[in-house]
Amino acid sequence: MLTTAAAEVRAATDGLGSAEPAWAWRDAPIATLVRRIQQLQDERAQAFRRLDQAHRQYLLSDPHHDFPSYRSVVHEVTQAFAAASREVLAVEAELAGPRAQPVLARHVRNLQELEQTRLATVALLQVMGTPGVSEQDPEKLHQLKIKVIKTMEAISEVLQELRFDAESAE
């Protein structure tokens, strides 16, 4: 579920392995790059909501769980996450290299790592939330929920630090 702009950026960043990627924000001000990171975070949040909604629908489709529909949404969301990650990594490379902004680049890297942790934890939570599995270890399920919450809090903190440090950098 990519926006039109994100789809265009995805097409532009597919060549990141080449010598000169066609990247729309190469000469953009740092504030624009930070706004783009925020937009990507909003897209990720939307993708997480879509994933959660699909999982709920899957669970509600009992007794004959509609796994093909759920799998389709997981595939779409995975592609959206991958596209966002490629662009976030491109911003990080831009900040670390040509912009010589290692503090900002580190914030972007931390954000990316936290999002990877969040995605892995949510995926495990969904697996554990399926009937027959959640009853096996309710404490583990609770711990995973807490981990997601703490990861989301850390993401918010990193975004706030990124915005603050970006204002200082310009």
Side-chain angles (χ1 to χ4, degrees), residues 4 10 17 19 47 87 99 118 125 170:
T4 304
R10 179 177 167 195
E87 193 171 349
R99 304 298 176 101
R118 180 181 176 195
L125 246 176
E170 290 196 287

PDB file of all heavy atoms in Angstrom, residues 4 10 17 19 47 87 99 118 125 170:
ATOM      1  N   THR A   4       1.471   7.267  -4.202  1.00  0.00           N
ATOM      2  CA  THR A   4       2.019   7.501  -5.528  1.00  0.00           C
ATOM      3  C   THR A   4       3.447   8.027  -5.423  1.00  0.00           C
ATOM      4  O   THR A   4       4.343   7.572  -6.131  1.00  0.00           O
ATOM      5  CB  THR A   4       1.136   8.500  -6.303  1.00  0.00           C
ATOM      6  OG1 THR A   4      -0.186   7.985  -6.334  1.00  0.00           O
ATOM      7  CG2 THR A   4       1.642   8.711  -7.696  1.00  0.00           C
ATOM      8  N   ARG A  10      10.302   4.736  -4.993  1.00  0.00           N
ATOM      9  CA  ARG A  10      10.733   3.335  -5.044  1.00  0.00           C
ATOM     10  C   ARG A  10      11.338   3.032  -6.411  1.00  0.00           C
ATOM     11  O   ARG A  10      12.393   2.420  -6.512  1.00  0.00           O
ATOM     12  CB  ARG A  10       9.554   2.415  -4.753  1.00  0.00           C
ATOM     13  CG  ARG A  10       9.911   0.966  -4.806  1.00  0.00           C
ATOM     14  CD  ARG A  10       8.713   0.132  -4.439  1.00  0.00           C
ATOM     15  NE  ARG A  10       8.984  -1.235  -4.801  1.00  0.00           N
ATOM     16  CZ  ARG A  10       8.078  -2.160  -4.873  1.00  0.00           C
ATOM     17  NH1 ARG A  10       6.838  -1.889  -4.579  1.00  0.00           N
ATOM     18  NH2 ARG A  10       8.387  -3.374  -5.217  1.00  0.00           N
ATOM     19  N   GLY A  17      22.157   0.368  -6.250  1.00  0.00           N
ATOM     20  CA  GLY A  17      23.430  -0.321  -6.378  1.00  0.00           C
ATOM     21  C   GLY A  17      24.285   0.248  -7.501  1.00  0.00           C
ATOM     22  O   GLY A  17      25.469  -0.009  -7.576  1.00  0.00           O
ATOM     23  N   ALA A  19      26.220   3.261  -9.848  1.00  0.00           N
ATOM     24  CA  ALA A  19      27.144   4.317  -9.480  1.00  0.00           C
ATOM     25  C   ALA A  19      26.411   5.628  -9.166  1.00  0.00           C
ATOM     26  O   ALA A  19      26.745   6.314  -8.221  1.00  0.00           O
ATOM     27  CB  ALA A  19      28.153   4.538 -10.599  1.00  0.00           C
ATOM     28  N   ALA A  47       1.199   0.929   7.282  1.00  0.00           N
ATOM     29  CA  ALA A  47       1.408  -0.479   6.921  1.00  0.00           C
ATOM     30  C   ALA A  47       1.226  -1.383   8.144  1.00  0.00           C
ATOM     31  O   ALA A  47       0.633  -2.470   8.036  1.00  0.00           O
ATOM     32  CB  ALA A  47       2.796  -0.668   6.307  1.00  0.00           C
ATOM     33  N   GLU A  87      14.650   3.559   0.932  1.00  0.00           N
ATOM     34  CA  GLU A  87      14.744   5.018   0.901  1.00  0.00           C
ATOM     35  C   GLU A  87      15.375   5.564   2.185  1.00  0.00           C
ATOM     36  O   GLU A  87      16.176   6.494   2.138  1.00  0.00           O
ATOM     37  CB  GLU A  87      13.372   5.635   0.663  1.00  0.00           C
ATOM     38  CG  GLU A  87      13.506   7.098   0.327  1.00  0.00           C
ATOM     39  CD  GLU A  87      12.228   7.740  -0.133  1.00  0.00           C
ATOM     40  OE1 GLU A  87      11.236   7.031  -0.408  1.00  0.00           O
ATOM     41  OE2 GLU A  87      12.225   8.982  -0.218  1.00  0.00           O
ATOM     42  N   ARG A  99      26.634  14.918   2.782  1.00  0.00           N
ATOM     43  CA  ARG A  99      26.191  15.978   3.699  1.00  0.00           C
ATOM     44  C   ARG A  99      27.079  16.110   4.934  1.00  0.00           C
ATOM     45  O   ARG A  99      26.984  17.095   5.645  1.00  0.00           O
ATOM     46  CB  ARG A  99      24.751  15.733   4.162  1.00  0.00           C
ATOM     47  CG  ARG A  99      23.739  15.601   3.061  1.00  0.00           C
ATOM     48  CD  ARG A  99      23.627  16.885   2.225  1.00  0.00           C
ATOM     49  NE  ARG A  99      22.715  16.690   1.133  1.00  0.00           N
ATOM     50  CZ  ARG A  99      21.468  17.103   1.118  1.00  0.00           C
ATOM     51  NH1 ARG A  99      20.981  17.755   2.144  1.00  0.00           N
ATOM     52  NH2 ARG A  99      20.710  16.857   0.071  1.00  0.00           N
ATOM     53  N   ARG A 118      10.871  -3.733  15.549  1.00  0.00           N
ATOM     54  CA  ARG A 118       9.412  -3.659  15.683  1.00  0.00           C
ATOM     55  C   ARG A 118       8.736  -4.648  14.740  1.00  0.00           C
ATOM     56  O   ARG A 118       7.820  -5.375  15.149  1.00  0.00           O
ATOM     57  CB  ARG A 118       8.951  -2.240  15.386  1.00  0.00           C
ATOM     58  CG  ARG A 118       7.465  -2.040  15.483  1.00  0.00           C
ATOM     59  CD  ARG A 118       7.097  -0.615  15.159  1.00  0.00           C
ATOM     60  NE  ARG A 118       5.659  -0.415  15.158  1.00  0.00           N
ATOM     61  CZ  ARG A 118       5.054   0.633  14.640  1.00  0.00           C
ATOM     62  NH1 ARG A 118       5.772   1.598  14.084  1.00  0.00           N
ATOM     63  NH2 ARG A 118       3.762   0.742  14.680  1.00  0.00           N
ATOM     64  N   LEU A 125       4.591 -11.745  17.394  1.00  0.00           N
ATOM     65  CA  LEU A 125       3.346 -11.568  18.150  1.00  0.00           C
ATOM     66  C   LEU A 125       2.158 -12.143  17.391  1.00  0.00           C
ATOM     67  O   LEU A 125       1.283 -12.787  17.984  1.00  0.00           O
ATOM     68  CB  LEU A 125       3.102 -10.078  18.373  1.00  0.00           C
ATOM     69  CG  LEU A 125       3.155  -9.542  19.784  1.00  0.00           C
ATOM     70  CD1 LEU A 125       2.997  -8.043  19.795  1.00  0.00           C
ATOM     71  CD2 LEU A 125       2.232 -10.221  20.723  1.00  0.00           C
ATOM     72  N   GLU A 170      21.287  23.030  10.277  1.00  0.00           N
ATOM     73  CA  GLU A 170      21.092  23.955   9.144  1.00  0.00           C
ATOM     74  C   GLU A 170      21.438  25.372   9.490  1.00  0.00           C
ATOM     75  O   GLU A 170      21.565  25.830  10.518  1.00  0.00           O
ATOM     76  CB  GLU A 170      19.652  23.875   8.640  1.00  0.00           C
ATOM     77  CG  GLU A 170      19.406  22.567   7.969  1.00  0.00           C
ATOM     78  CD  GLU A 170      18.161  22.536   7.114  1.00  0.00           C
ATOM     79  OE1 GLU A 170      17.075  22.502   7.698  1.00  0.00           O
ATOM     80  OE2 GLU A 170      18.322  22.561   5.894  1.00  0.00           O
TER      81      GLU A 170
END
